[in-house]
Structure formats: C-alpha cells, structure tokens
Amino acid sequence: MPAATGQDEATAAPAAVAAVGTREIAAEVASRIADTLRMLLSVLGSVLSSEAGQVAAQDAASARSLPAIGKAVRRLWFHTEIFGASWDSKEEAVWLCRLLSMLEGARAGLLSFYGAGLLCLDALVVLAEICFQEIGLEADEAFADHAMAVQDALRGRHWEEFQRLPADLHCNKSNMPLLSADRLPCTMRRVFDLEGVRLSRKQAAGLGLAMLMPGSMTLAMSGVGAALLVRTAREKRSITASGEEGEGARWKALQYTCLGHAHELLRRKHIPIEVQYLGREDSPALIKVTLYSLNDPFCAFPVGSIRGLDGGTGGESTARLRHGSRCRLRPPGKSDTFRMRVYEPATLLDTVIHDGVEVKRGDRLILTFPPGGDRRLRCHAARREESLQQQQEQPTVR
C-alpha cells in the first residue's frame, strides 16, 4: 500500500502541473480576447466620430474586463442617436436585454468568461452593424475578421477552461493605476457595481486616504454585508415573482429583471425631455436646468446624483444652457414625472430663477424672459415656439 500511494502521488504531480499550465495559457488567451474586443470598440467609436464615440474609445482603453467593455457598449448605444428603420424596437429591446443579462450575470457570479464573452461579442457586432448602416458605411472586412477570430478563440481548445474562469476576470493588470476601483476586492466591486468605473482625482485621493485610515476596511466590509443582504432579498423577490424553480431559477429571474430594465432604458433614451432657452441681451447668459424627484420637497439631490439608486445606468438630469441653445434630459429612474428647477450659476450658491414646474418624459419646453424688462423666467410648451420668437424684442445671442 505505501508503494502504491507513492506511485499515485508521483503520477498526480505532473497532472497538477499540467493543469496549472493549462489554466495559465487559458488566462493568457482570455486576455488577448479582451484586448481584441477593446480594439473593436475603439474602432467603432472612432468611426462614429461623435462625442459618444470618443468617450467609448477612452473607455475601451481603460477597460480591464468584459463587464467594463459591456458597460462602454451600453453607454455608446445610449448616447448615439439612431434614426433609421433598420433596428426594430423589439429587436433593440432583445439586444439590450442580452447585454444587461451579461452585465448582471457577471455581477451575480452566474456567468463564466465563456458565456460573457459570447454575449459581449454579439452585442458589439450587432451595434456596429446598426451604426454602420446609420452612417451609410459598409461593414469593414477587417472588423468582421477580428470578430470571427474572437468567436473561434472562445469556442476553441480552451473553451472548457473559459467556463471555469469568472466573467469579470481582470486582464492586463500591468498598466492599472495605483488608486483604481479595479484594485478593490472582487466582492466589493460586484456589490457596488464598480467594474469599469474610472475614478476622478478627488475620488482617487479619497480612496487612498480611506485605505490609510485605521478601521476603514472593517467599515467597508460592514457596508458590503448590508448591501449583500439587500441584494439577496431583491433576488429572492425576483425569483418568487418569476415563478421559476430549480437550478436555473436565478438566471431566469435575472433575465426577467433585465427585460424590464431594458424597456426602462429604451423609454429613457427615446422619450427625453427637451428644453430650449430663448433669452434676451439683458437676461442671464447661462442658466442651469435641474430635475428633482417629486418626493424631494427640498430639492436637495438631483435625480440620479446618488449612485446605486438608479441601477448605475446613467442619464442626464442637469444641463447648462446659453442663449438659443437646447438640451435633452434623460433622467435615470423608473419615474416619468419630475420637478424642474432653473438656476443662474454662481460661484458659491446658484440663484433660483424658476422655483419649479412639473414635467414629464416627452415634454418639449421653452424657457424665456418676457419683453418689457420683466426678470421672471417663464416656461412654455414647445408648440408656442414660433409666437414666442416673434415676441422677442432683441435678437437672440447665439
């Protein structure tokens, strides 16, 4: 028996070394897959040549994982206007649901690198096809070849190892900033949805200061525990609402939730609140428009200013307008009705020049000062735009 035991150990040792080597090779291939997806996203952002495209290219350069790339794809879709009829609304909802399922599945630990890679590639390729059609360009063969190479790599010889790797596997850690959200523990990144979040200088300084303070890690882990309890309760409620049971209940409940979130995002993107400022020469050259929740009587926090309450999906609830300019507000959250306040920006405290009007998604509003030296700002519906422009005594400064 002792001889047999020693022989088994001698046989198992090379197998373990070979398994470790295989995992390292699979991790290296996974890093190359992520690099290729980042490159494809950067190319797409450059082709669009818009502000959203430039931001997507910057996000691609700093992305370290598949969820970070997926978030960049979602932001690019959200801020890109697609006017053509090449994308049916139902197809767009299904596409968005698949992308959100990848993000939330990775955050919940339900997806592997293999599944997340396929979903991320599909989302990026479909969005690229729609954007190319929108700007009148044919699909680039090199773009399609690189996308096919990623698919072949995912389904190649390492596909079994990819299924053992987490979906939020970090790649290219060599160029990672010292103070970055990517350096936080995986559990903390998943709970607070910090994957791919770029910290500002003030946030990075605050993070560094918190790491030096005694007891900061204990306080942070207490917050993680509380957030995990809330998330578990929401997950159980979603499973109960979906009526699913068994091993796939969590995944089906997640897809059900993501489908509802997809419809919310579609409504937020395609039904904005449009505001135009028509001022006079003696009126403020710059104003600030801010949306608040109807449940916030003191107008303390603009909609979406507290991260996490809106699901981290983004959206505009504040804008600055000059004479003759206009903006589109897409406030985050499920609510369709908000309170709009208008300020004149100041060095310390902004001055309120309109104390609030109730607005809804899809409203088109015009802000103007009436003639005759009246300093009270008026808010009108857009259907009166022509008559209001005729009443302007002074030409609009553009």
Side-chain angles (χ1 to χ4, degrees):
M1 291 295 295
T5 303
Q7 188 176 10
D8 292 341
E9 292 179 355
T11 306
V17 173
V20 173
T22 303
R23 284 195 294 269
E24 292 179 352
I25 295 174
E28 180 64 26
V29 176
S31 178
R32 295 179 181 178
I33 290 174
D35 287 342
T36 306
L37 290 174
R38 291 168 53 201
M39 182 199 67
L40 293 177
L41 177 59
S42 180
V43 169
L44 177 59
S46 302
V47 169
L48 291 177
S49 65
S50 60
E51 182 179 354
Q54 295 177 3
V55 173
Q58 296 175 1
D59 292 339
S62 61
R64 294 288 183 271
S65 63
L66 295 182
I69 298 174
K71 286 184 178 181
V73 172
R74 183 188 62 189
R75 284 191 291 268
L76 178 60
W77 162 82
F78 187 81
H79 294 287
T80 301
E81 296 292 341
I82 300 176
F83 300 100
S86 56
W87 208 354
D88 182 72
S89 58
K90 294 182 180 179
E91 295 178 353
E92 188 176 8
V94 172
W95 173 87
L96 184 57
C97 179
R98 289 167 62 88
L99 177 59
L100 294 175
S101 298
M102 187 275 286
L103 297 176
E104 294 301 323
R107 187 181 174 192
L110 298 177
L111 274 181
S112 64
F113 185 89
Y114 176 80
L118 291 176
L119 289 174
C120 185
L121 175 64
D122 176 74
L124 182 56
V125 170
V126 172
L127 181 61
E129 291 178 354
I130 297 298
C131 290
F132 288 156
Q133 294 179 15
E134 184 71 18
I135 60 179
L137 293 178
E138 296 183 358
D140 187 24
E141 293 184 1
F143 190 98
D145 292 341
H146 281 85
M148 187 61 66
V150 171
Q151 181 176 341
D152 293 341
L154 285 169
R155 295 178 175 175
R157 55 180 298 188
H158 300 292
W159 70 275
E160 292 183 348
E161 289 296 332
F162 291 154
Q163 291 185 349
R164 299 186 183 95
L165 295 176
D168 52 0
L169 175 71
H170 273 201
C171 307
N172 297 326
K173 298 182 180 180
S174 58
N175 298 326
M176 190 182 301
L178 179 60
L179 295 177
S180 170
D182 295 330
R183 292 188 179 273
L184 296 174
C186 178
T187 302
M188 189 175 295
R189 294 198 311 269
R190 288 181 178 180
V191 169
F192 296 110
D193 196 17
L194 297 176
E195 199 68 50
V197 174
R198 289 187 293 175
L199 300 180
S200 63
R201 292 185 178 180
K202 293 182 180 180
Q203 292 171 337
L207 176 61
L209 181 61
M211 293 174 65
L212 296 176
M213 294 180 60
S216 59
M217 185 57 66
T218 303
L219 182 62
M221 295 312 295
S222 300
V224 170
L228 281 174
L229 289 175
V230 174
R231 197 168 126 197
T232 302
R234 289 180 178 176
E235 185 176 292
K236 289 184 178 180
R237 186 173 58 186
S238 299
I239 294 175
T240 304
S242 64
E244 299 290 342
E245 296 181 358
E247 297 181 356
R250 291 183 64 193
W251 176 248
K252 293 180 180 178
L254 185 142
Q255 288 182 310
Y256 178 79
T257 303
C258 289
L259 182 60
H261 194 185
H263 286 292
E264 175 192 334
L265 278 179
L266 285 170
R267 186 173 67 254
R268 185 187 308 178
K269 176 183 178 181
H270 296 299
I271 312 179
I273 300 173
E274 298 185 13
V275 183
Q276 184 179 12
Y277 177 41
L278 299 177
R280 303 192 313 264
E281 289 185 354
D282 58 343
S283 60
L286 180 67
I287 63 173
K288 185 176 75 171
V289 181
T290 306
L291 298 179
Y292 298 92
S293 171
L294 295 180
N295 298 325
D296 185 4
F298 301 103
C299 296
F301 302 101
V303 177
S305 60
I306 302 179
R307 179 179 175 81
L309 296 183
D310 64 325
T313 54
E316 306 88 6
S317 59
T318 300
R320 293 174 179 262
L321 297 175
R322 296 188 179 276
H323 291 295
S325 63
R326 65 179 66 202
C327 67
R328 290 186 174 185
L329 300 177
R330 299 181 175 93
K334 297 181 179 180
S335 177
D336 289 334
T337 307
F338 309 91
R339 180 182 180 182
M340 186 181 73
R341 254 189 175 188
V342 185
Y343 300 88
E344 182 178 359
T347 304
L348 295 178
L349 296 177
D350 297 338
T351 304
V352 179
I353 56 178
H354 196 289
D355 197 25
V357 60
E358 186 174 314
V359 297
K360 297 181 180 179
R361 296 188 191 272
D363 284 351
R364 299 177 60 191
L365 307 172
I366 295 177
L367 303 177
T368 183
F369 288 91
D374 193 346
R375 296 284 297 173
R376 292 177 298 176
L377 183 68
R378 303 291 177 88
C379 180
H380 306 277
R383 62 177 177 270
R384 300 179 57 189
E385 180 175 358
E386 296 182 358
S387 60
L388 287 171
Q389 289 179 343
Q390 294 176 358
Q391 294 177 8
Q392 297 295 322
E393 294 184 344
Q394 302 294 339
T396 303
V397 179
R398 296 185 183 272

